[in-house]
């Protein structure tokens, strides 16, 4: 009987877990719809701002070298110091979502160290911060609450510090790493070399754009301002894209957990029925044996 009580207790526990994971899946599904919509609109904006940037760069190329117009296009022959900005979630229970980003960053650190390049890490998200702190790896800057509730102002704050260091010659390169949203069932690591920017290789083609660009002494300032907006947006898009991917990964993880709990309940019910049948059989044998002994 004690065995039957233990099995019943396990069944009840797993069923409660199943209810929790099912509820978490529904919550993540609802949040995913909203985050997916924001990410989709952000992708449209990304395409448009790239079009504008490419066309302005092309117009500037007509009157001079882009390299001479903007410091953001200047590349060094040797890179000595690199800033890596990476985005993880503030919460867990989302499968391998966070560990994929962490592994990518670890691999990049090892690659740069092999080239004797100094690395500085700017960590966004509690899970990534906790991991690197536990490993004893120094973090230059940490941001909690930015990946779970991204805003354009938060993105500006993060990227401005990294870009200012690049402008002042503190760093030679800035790289952005995050786990991005592909669809409801898959995510993909995205590595974006923010600066320096490679000049767009644009050939002269007929364009329907109505934008007119007049060359002046302020060409470099115009392009720099556009690039700064592009950097801010790249950071913001990484945050919203990561959030959509996080909800997608958590929805999958909770769905898998719910299915596993369902299967576990089925196995426990089967074990309970077998144990109950065995208990009844044992009692019948004892009764029959007692009757036979009385004859």
């Amino acid at each position: 009987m004690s065995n039957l009580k233990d099995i019943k207790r396990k069944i009840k526990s797993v069923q409660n877990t199943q209810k929790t994971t099912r509820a978490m899946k529904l919550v993540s599904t609802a949040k995913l719809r909203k985050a997916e919509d924001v990410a989709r609109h952000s992708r449209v904006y990304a395409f448009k701002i790239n079009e504008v940037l490419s066309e302005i760069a092309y117009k500037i190329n007509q009157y001079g070298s882009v390299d001479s117009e903007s410091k953001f296009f200047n590349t060094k022959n040797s890179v000595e110091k690199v800033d890596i900005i990476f985005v993880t979630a503030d919460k867990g229970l989302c499968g391998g979502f966070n560990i994929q980003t962490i592994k990518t960053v670890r691999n990049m650190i090892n690659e740069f160290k092999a080239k004797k390049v100094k690395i500085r890490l700017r960590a966004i998200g509690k899970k990534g911060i906790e991991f690197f702190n536990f490993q004893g790896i120094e973090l230059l800057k940490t941001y909690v609450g930015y990946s779970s509730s991204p805003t354009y102002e938060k993105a500006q704050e993060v990227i401005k510090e990294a870009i200012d260091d690049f402008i002042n010659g503190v760093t030679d390169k800035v790289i952005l790493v995050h786990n991005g949203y592909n669809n409801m069932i898959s995510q993909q690591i995205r590595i974006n070399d923010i600066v320096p920017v490679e000049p767009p290789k644009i050939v002269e083609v007929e364009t329907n754009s109505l934008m007119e660009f007049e060359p002046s002494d302020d060409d470099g300032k115009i392009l720099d301002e556009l690039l700064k907006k592009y950097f801010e947006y790249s950071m913001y898009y990484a945050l919203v894209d990561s959030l959509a991917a996080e909800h997608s990964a958590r929805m999958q993880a909770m769905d898998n957990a719910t299915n596993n709990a369902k299967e576990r309940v089925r196995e426990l019910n089967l074990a309970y029925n077998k144990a109950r049948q065995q208990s009844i059989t044992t009692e019948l044998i004892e009764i029959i044996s007692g009757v036979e002994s009385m004859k």
Side-chain angles (χ1 to χ4, degrees):
M1 287 296 293
S2 60
N3 188 40
L4 289 175
K5 289 181 179 179
D6 289 341
I7 295 175
K8 287 188 71 175
R9 186 163 51 249
K10 288 180 181 179
I11 292 174
K12 186 66 176 178
S13 176
V14 175
Q15 286 176 336
N16 290 336
T17 301
Q18 185 179 9
K19 291 178 182 178
T20 302
T21 56
R22 185 184 294 114
M24 291 181 68
K25 175 191 173 183
L26 294 175
V27 171
S28 294
T29 303
K31 289 183 176 180
L32 173 60
R33 292 194 184 100
K34 183 178 179 180
E36 183 184 19
D37 188 55
V38 174
R40 183 172 59 252
H41 285 86
S42 297
R43 277 194 290 270
V44 174
Y45 183 77
F47 179 75
K48 292 301 180 182
I49 198 172
N50 273 304
E51 279 188 343
V52 174
L53 177 62
S54 297
E55 188 165 353
I56 289 180
Y58 170 68
K59 295 293 185 180
I60 290 178
N61 266 318
Q62 288 183 318
Y63 304 103
S65 170
V66 176
D67 286 343
S68 65
E69 297 292 346
S70 173
K71 64 180 74 68
F72 294 119
F73 289 100
N74 292 329
T75 56
K76 293 184 177 181
N77 293 329
S78 62
V79 176
E80 298 178 358
K81 187 177 292 185
V82 175
D83 265 8
I84 297 179
I85 308 172
F86 65 93
V87 184
T88 57
D90 287 322
K91 299 178 181 179
L93 298 177
C94 47
F97 171 78
N98 291 310
I99 199 63
Q100 288 178 21
T101 304
I102 291 170
K103 283 183 177 179
T104 301
V105 175
R106 286 293 301 270
N107 291 336
M108 292 176 67
I109 292 173
N110 293 334
E111 290 174 6
F112 279 117
K113 280 187 176 180
K115 299 176 183 177
K116 297 182 179 179
V117 176
K118 186 176 180 181
I119 299 297
R120 304 196 313 175
L121 298 177
R122 299 177 186 269
I124 302 174
K126 188 176 179 181
K127 291 302 175 181
I129 294 170
E130 289 177 345
F131 175 85
F132 283 99
N133 283 338
F134 180 77
Q135 294 293 320
I137 298 175
E138 182 182 358
L139 298 173
L140 176 66
K141 197 81 175 182
T142 59
Y143 305 89
V144 177
Y146 285 50
S147 57
S148 56
S149 57
T151 65
Y152 194 81
E153 289 73 21
K154 291 177 181 178
Q156 284 179 310
E157 178 188 344
V158 176
I159 201 64
K160 184 181 184 301
E161 295 179 0
I163 295 299
D164 284 347
D165 282 350
F166 176 83
I167 293 173
N168 296 326
V170 178
T171 56
D172 304 317
K173 193 171 188 177
V174 179
I175 302 174
L176 178 59
V177 181
H178 76 281
N179 201 351
Y181 175 80
N182 278 346
N183 50 55
M184 294 184 72
I185 60 173
S186 69
Q187 304 82 40
Q188 182 180 9
I189 292 293
R190 309 194 201 282
I191 302 174
N192 185 9
D193 292 343
I194 299 294
V195 281
V197 180
E198 293 185 4
K201 296 179 180 179
I202 304 173
V203 296
E204 187 171 358
V205 294
E206 182 179 353
T207 175
N208 295 323
S209 173
L210 298 177
M211 181 177 66
E212 293 295 334
F213 183 85
E214 294 293 338
S216 70
D217 294 336
D218 294 331
D219 290 350
K221 292 181 180 179
I222 294 173
L223 186 56
D224 283 353
E225 287 301 316
L226 177 63
L227 283 167
K228 286 179 182 179
K229 292 296 181 183
Y230 173 70
F231 299 148
E232 292 171 356
Y233 170 75
S234 296
M235 187 70 251
Y236 173 68
Y237 176 68
L239 292 177
V240 298
D241 190 36
S242 176
L243 182 60
E246 177 190 341
H247 290 316
S248 171
R250 184 170 291 110
M251 183 189 71
Q252 280 185 278
M254 292 302 100
D255 183 53
N256 291 334
T258 302
N259 291 335
N260 290 338
K262 182 179 179 180
E263 178 62 21
R264 182 58 179 160
V265 169
R266 188 190 70 79
E267 292 174 354
L268 287 171
N269 278 325
L270 182 61
Y272 176 81
N273 291 333
K274 287 182 177 179
R276 185 168 177 270
Q277 185 178 21
Q278 184 178 2
S279 175
I280 293 172
T281 302
T282 301
E283 290 179 1
L284 287 175
I285 292 174
E286 290 176 353
I287 293 172
I288 293 172
S289 298
V291 171
E292 289 294 329
S293 65
M294 293 175 63
K295 291 183 180 179

